[in-house]
Amino acid sequence: MTLALAMDQAGLSVAVVDALEFSDQLAPTFDGRASALAYTSWRMFEALGVAEHLREHAQRIEHILVCDGRPYGGDKPGGPGPHTLHFDRNEISEGPDGEPLGWMAENRRSRQALVKALQARPQITLIAPARADRYEHRKGGIDLVLADGQRLSGKLLVACDGKFSRLRDQARVRTAGWGYGQKGLVATVRHAEPHNGTAYEYFLPSGPFAILPLTDNRSSLVWTEPDAIADALKEAPEAVFQEELEARFGDFLGEVRPEGPRFAYPLGLRYAEQFCDDRIAFVGDAARGIHPLAGQGFNLGIRDAAALAEVCGEARRVGLDIGAVSTLRRYEDWRKFDSATLAAGTDFFNRLFSNDIEPIRQLRGIGLSIVDSIPPARRFFMRQAGGETGDPPRLLKGQRLDAA
């Protein structure tokens, strides 16, 4: 949906095919997830007319605390450990109304905002529910054949169909990757003390445990455990889940209680050998899927959309073919380095921190403290996570693509 809005703003004719009714994706229990939006992603939402529909449901992220989690068990509480890396948005954006490090929003709220923005663009064709079956090349273009036999014709097909993309498989684009033997347990909790816009990412032997601030004194948990334990926690009785939650969460935000259902998603790394093919571009998880510990998966997809829309818009303005390999290689070159860096980084940190080997634990704690003591290093990592390093596309700077 984000890509469709960006392509439309760039002056291109767009159709969106989705396997689900858009109304089904807006239900509170659709998938339970929330996503962190980097501040450059929020700028793009503002430029596309999405932020105005999302702002009241989005929580500013003012601080991020990264640390080794305290050991838990018996009478030992969980929670953040002694070695902490603190990111403060005031270091890169001054003033009470300055730009935050990012925003947190439940996925259904983001979808609602995107649907409202799409409804304001009647020139965008929405086809749902419908399933893409296959594509066929033709002279000067490409056709997408839907499962019901309907045929769509265009200059460019963009696959946004996830880590196990069927369209990428049809193109015979190879991928590299592996599963982590972990699942991300996702739940929403309410706590007694305010989070003050602080996101916590602390590392336990089983994997990262993220507490991400939501509106109304709630937080979204992304709780990583080995597959069997995650499945057991998902199905555990409320009393058992409460006990396990308190053991890891700690009491630093007072009493904590789960709200709503729990979900578990398998975690893995998958990276496409190429981000484009003849008249096809791969965007989001179809290009790469990474571990969620840095909260960057959705943001990488948004950056893909910003880059592809800008490349195609410029090609159209100068009379070039938007689906030509020479056009799409510009998109691929723009996005591959950022993608590879984050994919490798999240994989490395997940392996480094998902253990309880005492010498390694001590060294990584000291490493966090050292980085925390170097302001330029802190600012670099904040801008890197925000998507502002390198040469960001115009939309990530908050510039409209239809502006002169």
Side-chain angles (χ1 to χ4, degrees), residues 125-152:
T125 301
L126 302 179
I127 304 172
R131 188 173 295 277
D133 181 60
R134 67 188 187 281
Y135 65 82
E136 296 176 0
H137 285 101
R138 56 180 170 77
K139 186 175 181 180
I142 190 168
D143 290 353
L144 180 66
V145 182
L146 305 185
D148 63 3
Q150 184 179 356
R151 182 179 293 263
L152 306 177

Side-chain angles (χ1 to χ4, degrees), residues 95-248:
D97 298 320
E99 201 168 38
L101 293 173
W103 300 74
M104 277 298 302
E106 293 160 282
N107 284 9
R108 66 187 178 95
R109 298 295 191 183
S110 298
R111 291 191 193 93
Q112 288 171 344
L114 286 160
V115 168
K116 288 177 181 177
L118 283 169
Q119 290 171 339
R121 311 270 190 92
Q123 65 273 24
I124 297 178
T125 301
L126 302 179
I127 304 172
R131 188 173 295 277
D133 181 60
R134 67 188 187 281
Y135 65 82
E136 296 176 0
H137 285 101
R138 56 180 170 77
K139 186 175 181 180
I142 190 168
D143 290 353
L144 180 66
V145 182
L146 305 185
D148 63 3
Q150 184 179 356
R151 182 179 293 263
L152 306 177
S153 297
K155 294 284 189 182
L156 172 65
L157 172 63
V158 185
C160 305
D161 54 344
K163 282 194 290 188
F164 305 102
S165 167
R166 293 178 63 206
L167 296 176
R168 188 189 61 217
D169 287 346
Q170 185 184 343
R172 297 184 178 179
V173 171
R174 296 181 299 181
T175 63
W178 43 82
Y180 290 115
Q182 299 171 317
K183 287 186 178 179
L185 186 71
V186 177
T188 299
V189 298
R190 184 177 295 276
H191 33 77
E193 301 297 328
H195 50 54
N196 297 317
T198 302
Y200 299 86
E201 178 96 54
Y202 51 90
F203 295 91
L204 302 172
S206 58
F209 186 94
I211 304 170
L212 308 170
L214 295 174
T215 56
D216 195 25
N217 225 39
R218 298 172 302 142
S219 291
S220 175
L221 298 185
V222 182
W223 173 352
T224 306
E225 292 282 354
D227 290 343
I229 295 176
D231 289 337
L233 286 167
K234 177 179 178 292
E235 303 299 334
E238 289 185 11
V240 173
F241 184 79
Q242 179 73 32
E243 183 178 352
E244 295 295 326
L245 170 64
E246 291 175 358
R248 292 161 177 80

Side-chain angles (χ1 to χ4, degrees), residues 35-69:
S35 294
L37 288 160
Y39 59 84
T40 53
S41 299
W42 187 263
R43 291 175 190 170
M44 181 169 172
F45 271 17
E46 288 185 320
L48 295 176
V50 179
E52 63 190 83
H53 304 297
L54 183 58
R55 194 180 305 274
E56 66 177 299
H57 302 295
Q59 168 65 49
R60 288 169 58 102
I61 300 175
E62 308 287 355
H63 306 270
I64 299 174
L65 292 177
V66 182
C67 60
D68 244 358

Side-chain angles (χ1 to χ4, degrees), residues 64-102:
I64 299 174
L65 292 177
V66 182
C67 60
D68 244 358
R70 285 202 302 255
Y72 58 88
D75 59 353
K76 295 180 180 178
H83 298 289
T84 301
L85 173 55
H86 179 199
F87 297 115
D88 183 343
R89 68 100 181 158
N90 286 300
E91 289 197 62
I92 58 174
S93 175
E94 296 179 356
D97 298 320
E99 201 168 38
L101 293 173

